[in-house]
């Protein structure tokens, strides 16, 4: 496998594992991340994995960029021997439609389906988390059926409530905190995706395997109350 | 304790940022001008990492409920103590009952107030920075409001005395001068996607003047100037961005990403501002302008190391002064 290295800044170097998003480049990102986590060299400040890149932030007073590159080349040379962590399997319960998913009607009409059909397709897929970014704990989730794909809203909403599940193009995702955003909103989950009081503040991690299941509003309320009580 | 009589435009507790959680999508946040923040802390006898109050443009009115020792660094927002102008970039003893207020923003956009002992706010994910959008960190996860009481950690009367005495000897200290300017020249490395821009854009970015638009905040400054465009439009794969990344969305106007930037972005990056010059941008007000000048990543790293050495020297000088008086 070919890796390219280039600076993001005088304190960050980008390792590119490929130029297109595929299993291979994603696996390499995951393996590199787990290696960096294990080895945690002194000069390493932090790293940010994305679809096809791992960006490594270093302390410029401890090491020169050329040396960082050398060290990282050594790491990538042994990548084949590393096993990628086994994906965790996580179920995300969703209460679809209504006030929680005001765009479910749009997604259905856009694809010539009923709302029930959209829900059926959304809950039948096996998804994988490509990366966490944009907002704390926000998962970019791939693997959604083209049958329920929908364009982003022409003008983004100024406030999307936390826990809302959305669709944009062929991606689906969940807004962990209230933010502006342009995705089509189809439902809400009682799960908290951003948990600042935990060591790892994100419920999901890159590589996780995900399934969505349908719950009704009563179940949503019950689970939400229970989860919020656990954290207060 | 500090009583906030008036909050000002946006006054919030910040430190050097939330490190180590960007891989979970948690923004770094932290001060916009790390240089001023660090010097303010050193002058107040704190660790550089201690939280300070970041004060934007129109400053607050603050009453001190006990004797304190403070320092204000960064942009000159005309600070005064009990109605008397207060010198910046040096420490001051502030007797109980004093009132700190701010006037007209003269040069720069943000001031940093450090209080000896620093503020007593809980750390969230190892940082005291306020992350406004997530409502965490700093003082109750938000900017200060009228009537808030901001607690400080107690310092001993001996220590306060030492700071006071040391301050009498202040003026010759080695304080690196702030280089704030209304039209700064900002050094910038070519960005990760520099080569994807058309030739005119690659030249213009280093030649022409860009103006800070009113649509700018702690997340990023939008710049207006000549339009920048890619050789051919293409979709990029999202990747990490950094403090000072200059990305160009489809409308052709560059955005300099700052303290509250998102962790990843999908727009092409034409440049990356050298860390040592970030304060020059962070201190610009809407309507002010700047020019970029080319620098290599190696040279930018060298400048960074030199600045760290300067700050270290200042730290040692202050420690030596303090030993003389304690």
């Amino acid at each position: 496998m070919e890796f390219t290295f280039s600076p993001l800044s005088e304190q960050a170097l980008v390792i590119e594992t490929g130029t297109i998003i595929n299993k291979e480049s994603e696996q390499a990102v995951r393996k590199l991340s787990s290696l960096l986590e294990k080895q945690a060299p002194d000069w390493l400040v932090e790293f940010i994995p994305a679809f096809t890149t791992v960006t490594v932030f270093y302390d410029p007073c401890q090491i020169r960029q050329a040396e960082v590159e050398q060290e990282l080349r050594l790491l990538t040379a042994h990548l084949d021997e590393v096993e990628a962590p086994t994906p965790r399997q996580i179920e995300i319960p969703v209460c679809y439609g209504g006030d929680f998913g005001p765009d479910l009607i749009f997604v259905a009409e856009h694809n010539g389906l009923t709302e029930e059909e959209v829900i059926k397709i959304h809950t039948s897929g096996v998804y994988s988390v490509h990366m966490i970014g944009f907002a704390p704990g926000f998962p970019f989730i791939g693997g959604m059926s083209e049958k329920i794909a929908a364009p982003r809203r022409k003008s983004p909403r100024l406030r999307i409530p936390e826990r809302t599940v959305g669709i944009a193009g062929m991606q689906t995702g969940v807004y962990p905190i209230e933010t502006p955003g342009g995705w089509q909103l189809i439902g809400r989950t009682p799960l908290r995706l951003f948990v600042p009081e935990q060591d790892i503040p994100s419920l999901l991690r890159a590589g996780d395997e995900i399934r969505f299941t349908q719950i009704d509003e009563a179940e949503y309320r019950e689970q939400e109350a229970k989860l919020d009580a656990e954290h207060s | 304790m500090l009583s906030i009589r008036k909050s000002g435009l946006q006054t919030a507790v910040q430190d050097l940022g939330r490190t180590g959680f960007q891989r979970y999508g948690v923004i770094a946040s932290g001060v916009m001008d790390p240089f001023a923040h660090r010097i303010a802390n050193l002058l107040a006898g704190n660790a550089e990492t201690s939280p300070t109050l970041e004060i934007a443009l129109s400053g607050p009115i603050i009453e001190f409920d006990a004797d304190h020792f403070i320092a204000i660094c960064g942009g000159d927002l005309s600070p005064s103590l009990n109605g008397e102008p207060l010198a910046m970039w040096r420490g001051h003893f502030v007797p109980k009952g004093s009132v700190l207020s701010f006037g007209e923003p003269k040069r720069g956009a943000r001031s940093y107030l450090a209080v000896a002992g620093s503020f007593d706010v809980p750390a969230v994910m190892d940082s005291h920075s306020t992350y406004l959008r997530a409502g965490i960190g700093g003082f109750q996860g938000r900017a200060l409001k009228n009537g808030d009481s901001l607690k400080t950690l107690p310092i001993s009367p001996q220590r306060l005395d030492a700071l006071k005495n040391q301050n009498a000897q202040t003026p010759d200290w080695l304080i690196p001068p702030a280089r704030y300017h209304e039209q700064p020249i900002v050094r910038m490395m070519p960005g990760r996607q520099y080569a994807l821009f058309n030739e005119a854009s690659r030249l213009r970015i280093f030649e022409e003047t860009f103006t800070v638009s009113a649509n700018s905040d702690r997340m990023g400054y939008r710049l207006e100037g000549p339009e920048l465009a890619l050789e051919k439009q293409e979709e990029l794969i999202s990747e990490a961005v950094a403090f000072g990344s200059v990305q160009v969305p489809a409308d052709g106007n560059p955005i300099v990403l700052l303290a509250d930037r998102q962790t990843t972005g999908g727009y092409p990056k034409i440049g990356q501002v050298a860390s040592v010059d970030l304060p020059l941008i962070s201190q610009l007000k809407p309507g002010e302008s700047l020019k970029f000048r080319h620098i290599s990543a190696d040279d930018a790293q060298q400048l960074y190391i030199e600045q760290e050495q300067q700050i270290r020297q200042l730290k040692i000088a202050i420690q030596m002064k303090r030993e003389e008086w304690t």
Side-chain angles (χ1 to χ4, degrees):
Chain A
M1 199 162 186
E2 281 282 313
F3 297 97
T4 58
F5 298 79
S6 59
L8 170 64
S9 75
E10 80 277 58
Q11 32 196 323
L13 193 72
V14 182
I15 313 169
E16 213 166 350
T17 62
T19 50
I20 50 164
I21 302 174
N22 59 23
K23 268 247 140 55
E24 215 189 356
S25 58
E26 286 193 347
Q27 282 286 340
V29 166
R30 231 151 280 154
K31 287 180 181 182
L32 270 170
S33 302
S34 77
L35 267 184
L36 286 167
E37 211 157 293
K38 272 185 210 135
Q39 303 203 345
D42 275 354
W43 47 262
L44 178 68
V45 176
E46 66 177 312
F47 62 92
I48 306 180
F51 294 105
T52 59
T53 52
V54 179
T55 302
V56 176
F57 293 80
Y58 58 89
D59 175 2
C61 289
Q62 281 192 54
I63 191 166
R64 286 281 171 176
Q65 189 151 79
E67 294 169 85
V68 175
E69 186 174 327
Q70 274 175 16
E71 300 261 337
L72 293 175
R73 277 187 191 279
L74 279 175
L75 224 59
T76 54
H78 296 287
L79 220 53
D80 290 341
E81 301 151 31
V82 181
E83 278 203 39
T86 331
R88 304 181 310 158
Q89 300 199 329
I90 291 170
E91 199 180 287
I92 300 185
V94 181
C95 178
Y96 287 93
D99 288 345
F100 287 170
D103 301 324
L104 182 64
I105 299 171
F106 171 83
V107 175
E109 279 172 3
H110 180 80
N111 290 291
L113 300 168
T114 64
E115 292 179 46
E116 288 69 34
E117 285 169 323
V118 173
I119 296 170
K120 202 167 166 224
I121 295 169
H122 197 255
T123 52
S124 64
V126 180
Y127 301 82
S128 101
V129 177
H130 290 303
M131 72 167 207
I132 306 289
F134 169 70
F138 186 96
F140 285 83
I141 300 172
M144 196 183 73
S145 167
E146 205 172 338
K147 290 181 198 150
I148 55 170
R152 273 166 224 261
R153 288 171 58 89
K154 282 206 184 74
S155 93
R157 283 190 171 88
L158 293 177
R159 277 173 169 210
I160 293 178
E162 57 175 39
R163 312 181 192 214
T164 304
V165 179
I167 286 177
M170 280 183 61
Q171 294 193 98
T172 183
V174 187
Y175 288 98
I177 59 170
E178 185 186 287
T179 78
W183 291 31
Q184 305 288 352
L185 312 179
I186 59 166
R188 199 172 297 167
T189 176
L191 297 185
R192 289 174 73 210
L193 275 81
F194 176 49
V195 272
E197 52 284 290
Q198 282 178 9
D199 286 349
I200 294 180
S202 173
L203 174 73
L204 302 177
R205 275 158 249 171
D208 287 351
E209 213 173 271
I210 282 177
R211 280 165 205 276
F212 292 99
T213 55
Q214 188 180 10
I215 53 171
D216 61 26
E217 199 175 330
E219 286 172 277
Y220 174 91
R221 298 279 177 215
E222 194 184 316
Q223 290 194 31
E224 184 189 47
K226 200 176 136 227
L227 285 163
D228 288 350
E230 276 172 26
H231 289 287
S232 60
Chain B
M1 198 171 73
L2 278 61
S3 298
I4 311 302
R5 282 203 196 158
K6 246 183 89 184
S7 66
L9 181 65
Q10 190 175 76
T11 305
V13 175
Q14 295 291 350
D15 64 12
L16 288 173
R18 203 159 264 117
T19 307
F21 297 93
Q22 290 198 80
R23 76 181 105 147
Y24 306 119
V26 180
I27 67 168
S29 197
V31 289
M32 290 276 279
D33 181 345
F35 178 79
H37 160 92
R38 292 167 72 185
I39 305 290
N41 265 329
L42 291 177
L43 291 174
N46 295 336
E48 292 160 62
T49 48
S50 297
T52 60
L53 266 188
E54 183 176 271
I55 294 162
L57 289 168
S58 170
I61 300 176
I62 298 173
E63 190 178 331
F64 293 84
D65 297 359
D67 288 352
H68 274 292
F69 190 80
I70 66 167
I72 299 172
C73 296
D76 184 354
L77 309 180
S78 313
S80 57
L81 193 71
N82 302 323
E84 293 293 316
L86 192 73
M88 299 187 56
W89 304 94
R90 57 168 294 172
H92 299 278
F93 175 73
V94 177
K96 181 180 170 175
S98 297
V99 175
L100 175 69
S101 56
F102 292 83
E104 188 200 351
K106 278 190 197 142
R107 167 70 43 90
R110 286 159 230 279
S111 267
Y112 293 86
L113 167 66
V115 174
S118 88
F119 302 109
D120 185 10
V121 293
V124 177
M125 284 179 263
D126 307 336
S127 164
H128 298 99
S129 283
T130 313
Y131 178 179
L132 291 168
R133 188 155 275 164
I136 58 168
F139 181 83
Q140 300 175 7
R142 60 169 172 82
L144 296 178
K145 284 187 201 159
N146 300 352
D148 280 343
S149 299
L150 183 57
K151 280 192 203 141
T152 53
L153 291 163
I155 62 166
S156 67
Q158 291 84 350
R159 188 159 159 70
L160 197 62
D161 269 350
L163 285 164
K164 208 162 140 183
N165 289 334
Q166 151 204 300
N167 186 50
Q169 302 290 313
T170 307
D172 56 343
W173 281 358
L174 176 74
I175 295 170
R179 296 174 293 125
Y180 309 139
H181 196 273
E182 283 160 27
Q183 259 203 310
I185 297 204
V186 173
R187 287 162 291 193
M188 181 173 83
M189 297 156 253
R192 285 247 309 147
Q193 287 82 28
Y194 179 75
L196 298 182
F197 284 84
N198 63 33
E199 200 191 343
S201 301
R202 278 180 279 144
L203 293 172
R204 279 175 186 157
I205 191 75
F206 288 116
E207 276 172 1
E208 299 203 33
T209 302
F210 293 87
T211 306
V212 177
S213 109
N215 196 0
S216 295
D217 55 22
R218 278 179 43 91
M219 191 169 164
Y221 272 17
R222 285 163 193 272
L223 304 181
E224 283 159 1
E227 244 177 54
L228 305 171
L230 296 178
E231 191 65 57
K232 64 177 200 329
Q233 276 307 322
E234 55 183 303
E235 281 285 309
L236 295 177
I237 303 171
S238 282
E239 59 179 39
V241 294
F243 198 167
S245 293
V246 184
Q247 59 177 27
V248 183
D251 69 6
N253 289 320
I255 301 172
V256 189
L257 298 178
L258 301 168
D260 280 351
R261 69 201 174 274
Q262 290 169 2
T263 56
T264 55
Y267 293 122
K269 296 180 283 292
I270 196 168
Q272 173 68 41
V273 175
S275 297
V276 294
D277 282 354
L278 281 169
L280 302 186
I281 291 195
S282 297
Q283 291 289 358
L284 286 176
K285 297 193 265 281
E288 293 181 339
S289 54
L290 63 101
K291 273 186 164 186
F292 293 110
R293 187 197 288 156
H294 178 276
I295 190 171
S296 69
D298 267 351
D299 288 348
Q301 185 170 3
Q302 188 56 39
L303 288 175
Y304 181 92
I305 293 167
E306 283 165 16
Q307 190 184 64
E308 290 307 300
Q309 276 167 348
Q310 251 185 334
I311 293 176
R312 209 161 301 158
Q313 276 165 10
L314 173 65
K315 209 162 147 181
I316 291 166
I318 291 174
Q319 266 159 10
M320 286 168 71
K321 279 279 178 220
R322 195 163 302 140
E323 272 159 27
E324 276 175 38
W325 290 95
T326 43

